[in-house]
Amino acid sequence: MPKVTMKKLALAVALQLGVVSAAVAVPPAHQLEDLPKLSQQEQHSVVSQRVTTYFTRYHFKNMELDNALSEQILDRYLEMLDYNKMFLLRSDIEQASEYKHLFDDMIHSGKLSPAYSLFEQALKRNYQRYEYALGLLDKEQPFDFTVESDRYHYDREDAQWATTTEELDELWRQRVKYDALNLTMTGKEWPDVVETLEKRYNNALKRLTQTNSEDVFQTVMNAFARSVEAHTSYLSPANAERFEQNMNLSLEGIGAVLQSEFDYTVIRSLVPGGPADKSGAVAPEDKIVAVAQGDDEDAEFVDIVGWRLDEVVELIKGPKGTTVQLQVLKANQAAGAKPSEISIVRDEVKLEDRAAKVEIKTMEEGPYAGRSMGVITIPSFYHKLSDDVKKLIQEVTEADAEGVIIDLRGNGGGSLQESIALTGLFIDEGPVVQVTDGSGRREVNGDRDGETFYGGPLVVMVDRYSASASEIFAAALQDYERALIVGENTYGKGTVQQHRGLQRRFDFFDEPLGSVQYTIAKFYRINGGSTQMKGVRPDVAFPTVTDPETFGESSQENALPWDKIDTADYRNLEFISANKLAELNALKAKNVKQNPEFKYVLEDAEKYQQEKDKTWVSLVLAEREAEDQANEDKALARTNERLVRAGFEAVDSLDDVPEEFELPDPYLNETLVLSFELIDTMKLAMH
């Protein structure tokens, strides 16, 4: 073939990949030989054996470390090495399958050399991919974002492993183009896009070179842990220390507990009363993709995709009173959506901010105008919560409010004893929760004081973030028919975890040994059903955007199943009849149809259903910009409708919304209506 033809062919291939020539491609900052040689440390053999003891002898499941479990461990290990099937080849997986019945023996004996070999192979594959990604970048030649039908398949969980390097090349062409398009849509010019991705991919290479023996060991142990059960884990010495620090550090800064999930930093939970919680702008499962310091509109955002968690924490932490800006991908956003930018003023979380609060809500219009209810908001089940709630109920009584609403939305749990004590305020005596361990021994915990502190009308609000102790409280009052439960299906966490350090008194190791967390028991309702997986189904369910099975415990891989034990000995209080529940649900359905706020929820729910199974995103700039514009237009239209309904003037931009405007809370407003309807029925029954 003539040389000129070869040049044309090379140029055509280069243009297709977005690279003019190898000379202008971005070079990697590290070389393949910079990758570390990994082998297990002396203490890992002992730690592996101790972890095995905890997970097999003391775990609720009473697991046996055998060949069946070994296959699961290998599968999870490979998933943790390459969760989206973007690095390893099918030949790597086939080679790894030779160890499918050896992982149990390796973990039991503490001799993990094959696992380290697999990890080193994954490191090499990672290096090759990021080197290739850098080779696609060229500051002079932007990608062509007009190619019809060009897509990035971001969810490859059910895809086959690539059989050739060429297949991976195409996947990474889409990945790099996707990353570049996302940055382009934030307003970055092409040279800035290339610079950001150059830093991102070279940072990834840097992290590969910093991999140490403990990283491998932690991956193996957590592949083991998650093969046992969803809430079981091993914490390396560094993570164990961070776990302890988080109990304090989370009370400073923004008040959020963060977790690394593949390339992303995910908000695992919010500290009640903390700055992030108060902002109302972030929620569990949201992803932080960039961070900027200060409140300046021109502050430079630092891309943190792929960063180590400790590096992200250091960037977000800061002195009280200072501002940090975050770019956040919402949990229910479609892949490729434009991140939201939020500002949070760092602060300490004061105890009074975490405490239960009461607000007397008086209806201003409609058939219940002038009537009031006491709304007690409980962020968490903290020490002496029940004493605080007693005082708040007294305030409700002194204000002549007709009843009490307990708002548990967003309450992720806390003290089991406080959930029992709080339930005891509303019943004379009786069981509240049943607990069983792995051997089937049952313990019934309840209220024994023989007194009812408050016997009036009671409604409990829950949502999908209400978990653990919140579910115990709501379930008990539902089983007693003492309270009306309204809202969304709760999270469904009905398990008890124990945290144990692996260090022993006479250990001679220089390094600390880390710790384990494992499940030791399950919670059960007094009616015998577990709160695990199913959570608490409200008596009156409000519309919600997401499905219960796509959020909460039921979405966790390898979570313990729902089951049922014997019913506890309790007497139904029959405050709420089946007929009344039917009437309240009919009233709710009527009001939801008439409430424009629930119309928004139903529209979002319909869109979610249409897109929830989508695994790809367009790489055409015009299509993506049109989607973003449509979302912005919808948000502005809804905001203006809300403003007008509240007596304000419409605005031209979301930035112009008056500070004094408060977003309506349709769930609470509808709960107030249902509460008064319930109260009127109770009055009739008494007469």
Side-chain angles (χ1 to χ4, degrees), residues 78-91:
L78 293 171
E79 180 185 0
M80 294 168 85
L81 293 180
D82 185 5
Y83 75 98
N84 214 23
K85 299 174 182 171
M86 294 283 288
F87 297 96
L88 299 176
L89 291 166
R90 182 182 296 175
S91 57

Side-chain angles (χ1 to χ4, degrees), residues 24-41:
V24 294
V26 175
H30 298 273
Q31 304 304 311
L32 187 61
E33 53 266 26
D34 294 337
L35 295 179
K37 300 296 181 183
L38 300 169
S39 60
Q40 70 180 88
Q41 297 175 349

Side-chain angles (χ1 to χ4, degrees), residues 373 404-406 456-462 473-474 477-487 536-542 575-578 580-585 587-588 670-679 682:
M373 288 283 290
V404 171
I405 295 174
I406 300 289
L458 182 64
V459 177
V460 178
M461 295 185 72
V462 294
F473 173 76
L477 294 181
Q478 187 178 55
D479 290 345
Y480 275 111
E481 291 185 17
R482 171 65 184 88
L484 179 72
I485 313 299
V486 302
V536 178
R537 183 179 179 181
D539 300 313
V540 179
F542 291 143
F575 269 58
I576 304 165
S577 68
K580 188 58 197 174
L581 279 183
E583 292 175 13
L584 292 175
N585 272 292
L587 176 63
K588 180 263 310 189
E670 182 62 22
T671 299
L672 288 166
V673 171
L674 295 174
S675 299
F676 290 120
E677 186 70 19
L678 177 65
I679 289 169
M682 293 174 70

Side-chain angles (χ1 to χ4, degrees), residues 147 175 227 275 395 416 482 607 619:
V147 180
R175 158 73 185 272
S227 298
E395 290 185 36
L416 171 63
R482 171 65 184 88
K607 183 178 180 182
L619 294 177

Side-chain angles (χ1 to χ4, degrees), residues 324-342:
V324 62
Q325 297 184 57
L326 309 176
Q327 286 185 350
V328 175
L329 290 172
K330 303 299 293 179
N332 59 354
Q333 271 185 307
K338 188 176 180 179
S340 306
E341 292 186 7
I342 62 171

